[in-house]
Amino acid sequence: MNSTVVDMDTAMIRTHGLTRHFTVKKETVEAVRGLDLQVDEGELVAVLGPNGAGKSTTLRMLTTLIPPTSGTARVAGHDVVGEQREVRRRIGYIGQGNGAAHSQRGRDELISQGRAYGMSRTAARQRADELVESLDLSGVADRTVSSLSGGQRRRLDIAMGLIHAPELLFLDEPSTGLDPQNRARLQEHIVHLRAAYGTTIVLTTHYLDEADSMAERIVVVDHGRVIADDTPARLKANHSGDHVTLGFGAEIDARAASDVARRIPGANVETLGATVHVRVVGGPQVVPGLLRGIGEQGVAVSSVEVARPTLDDVFLNLTGRSLREGGAEPAGTHESATTEQEIAA
Amino acid sequence: MSTTIAPVSATTIVSDTATVLSRELRPVLRDPFSVIFSMIQPLIFLGLFAPLLPDLGSQGSALQWFVPGIVVMSCLFSTSFTGSNLLFEIQTGSHERMLVTPLRRPALIIGRALKETVPLIVQTAIIVGACLPFGFDLHLGGAVLGLLILAITAVGLGALSYTLALASKNQEWLFWTVQQTVLFPLLLLAGILLPVDGGPGWLRTMAEFNPLSYVVDAERALFNGDFALDTLGAGALAAVGVAALGLAVGTRAMRRSS
């Protein structure tokens, strides 16, 4: 958008050893431990992790809300500690709460948000009208925010974050608490926004499908560290193969079949009663040969199922824990609440 | 959707303060009745307490003494409550959103505190207007100067209430406990409802440490057209002191807010 601003460095975000400790009841909690992250201009990156993984704390450091305990971060070409206002001018932030105050009217808040970024009253009003239209808020923009539905408020939050057409947009769990329909709609808006403005987007989520469907790059965070950083496809291929399940009439058939399956390079085979579970990369391509091999042994296969890996499988594989245990529940608000208490403490 | 990159001009602390102030004023202008809700208690005192006051003889009707105090009381009530608006914005997320904008931290507190002067003027007009038919005699010039001193006090008290809200983040009970604990001693020790002159020595000493005592004295003098320099000077000094303290601690708290 504004290439003169981002000097020679094409990185929109570059962190070195970014660390944040909180002191809770005289105990030090290491929320983020030495995070090294680079996000280039135009990327859409999802930061995925369970509650308490350090996602929000990382975002809060990158958006200048809290200073790092140690390490550095340059965001949109400026240091988050030394050049706070320069960073703030260039980024948009959509937090977990509602950006627009409940006592205000949506359009009023949009205009004052524009003013906060130094836009003239006319420009702010014009831009507010534009966003109200594109985020389907025309009918509700002049109502008090407290009277809007959750989905409408969330879209208003997005509009607030976009008022100054930022080069870089942060979204902290944008779809938490929304019903599936509103989540899908929100994701559409985000994808559309990126296509229209070329905005660099960093979002945190604990919804696997969201990270999977929207982002080209997923950074998996656990216990304050990056444990994986790749495209969804490669993450799945590298950290969890396809899951092939073969059913047989008898245990003895299953055992014979498992011997055949073990000959496939890289396959992870497990037999449970009359069922054989095979974890293998490229499952759909492997299955025909596997079935032929089993047939040659004179064994009949009664059922076949090939399941593509999910990011949950990836996460389980990386950490030994399921992401679902952390809950896609409203527990998301938990994380921020404890973090904030930690800061206050 | 067309891409409009809005013309952006450099902001200053003054323009930032104006942005925050006009944002704060908008709900007040959209719903002026909200200003009246916070003055229910002062109006109750005016209606049910003032008639109990003995006439002060040579000094005229009791209203001449009581009304300026009620104006200060109204200011004290509405400014001490005002932090709860910020507390709510902290809870819902809009305060955090504003912290990520380039708005300067002092502007975030000064703009909010300056807004307190607007309800103050409206409330004073209502109180005085309600008392005029009952024989209250207003000295306009004095009242205007009195309002100026009170406005400065309101900025300070408002900033203190906002500071309390920032300190009470995630602990709403703390805000209300402190607000209620501080409000009534300040009120009673300022001699708003009853004069402290006749009280025991320890109480008079405590009143001397209450900056509001001097503001109340100055308001009583000014609303009655008495421009005695010592009373006026003490009131103005107390007001400026409260404002300076409020804005100093408020700015500090805002800088630390996250």
Side-chain angles (χ1 to χ4, degrees), chain A residues 1 60 63 65-66 85 88-89 91 93 95 97-105 108-109 112-113 115-121 123 126-127 130 134 160 165 192 196-197 337 340-341 343, chain B residues 1-11 15-16 19 22-24 26-27 30 88-105 167 169-171 256-258:
Chain A
M1 185 173 69
R60 293 171 72 79
T63 53
L65 278 168
I66 53 171
R85 216 139 50 78
R88 288 172 187 154
R89 286 166 65 97
I91 63 168
Y93 171 66
N98 285 129
H102 289 199
S103 59
Q104 300 263 1
R105 293 185 188 179
D108 290 347
E109 279 289 71
S112 78
Q113 175 83 340
R115 301 284 287 153
Y117 285 95
M119 293 164 77
S120 72
R121 196 166 289 282
Q126 193 190 331
R127 176 77 177 144
E130 209 176 283
S134 70
M160 297 284 288
H192 171 74
Y197 296 94
E340 278 160 8
Q341 267 160 9
I343 296 160
Chain B
M1 170 156 79
S2 64
T3 310
T4 342
I5 303 301
V8 170
S9 59
T11 56
S15 70
D16 282 356
T19 299
S22 70
R23 172 178 181 268
E24 286 298 313
R26 211 162 289 119
R30 298 247 190 248
F88 187 54
E89 290 193 15
I90 291 172
Q91 287 162 352
T92 59
S94 61
H95 174 62
E96 185 186 79
R97 183 263 305 174
M98 290 183 85
L99 288 177
V100 183
T101 68
L103 288 171
R104 287 163 181 80
R105 279 19 189 184
K169 185 176 179 178
N170 294 318
Q171 306 166 76
R256 294 171 165 209
S257 182
S258 64

Side-chain angles (χ1 to χ4, degrees), chain A residues 186-255:
Chain A
L186 187 72
Q187 290 172 10
E188 262 170 47
H189 278 301
I190 295 171
V191 170
H192 171 74
L193 158 81
R194 180 163 171 250
Y197 296 94
T199 313
T200 309
I201 299 176
V202 175
L203 59 92
T204 67
T205 183
H206 51 203
Y207 290 116
L208 293 158
D209 54 338
E210 189 163 272
D212 200 0
S213 66
M214 292 173 70
E216 295 126 8
R217 181 178 158 203
I218 293 177
V219 175
V220 186
V221 178
D222 193 35
H223 295 306
R225 285 200 181 91
V226 174
I227 55 169
D229 181 350
D230 219 327
T231 64
R234 273 204 296 256
L235 273 179
K236 287 185 221 167
N238 294 345
H239 294 283
S240 173
D242 295 320
H243 189 180
V244 181
T245 311
L246 302 168
F248 298 93
E251 266 184 57
I252 188 157
D253 292 346
R255 272 200 296 277

Side-chain angles (χ1 to χ4, degrees), chain A residues 285-328:
Chain A
Q285 290 76 37
V286 167
V287 165
L290 177 62
L291 292 181
R292 219 177 305 120
I294 293 169
E296 281 162 12
Q297 302 292 313
V299 173
V301 182
S302 57
S303 70
V304 182
E305 191 192 319
V306 182
R308 308 291 293 173
T310 64
L311 277 168
D312 197 22
D313 296 323
V314 173
F315 193 78
L316 187 67
N317 189 290
L318 283 166
T319 66
R321 286 176 294 120
S322 167
L323 195 52
R324 294 217 179 90
E325 285 162 18

Side-chain angles (χ1 to χ4, degrees), chain B residues 160-175:
Chain B
L160 288 171
S161 184
Y162 288 125
T163 307
L164 180 58
L166 290 168
S168 310
K169 185 176 179 178
N170 294 318
Q171 306 166 76
E172 200 182 353
W173 59 268
L174 182 66
F175 178 84

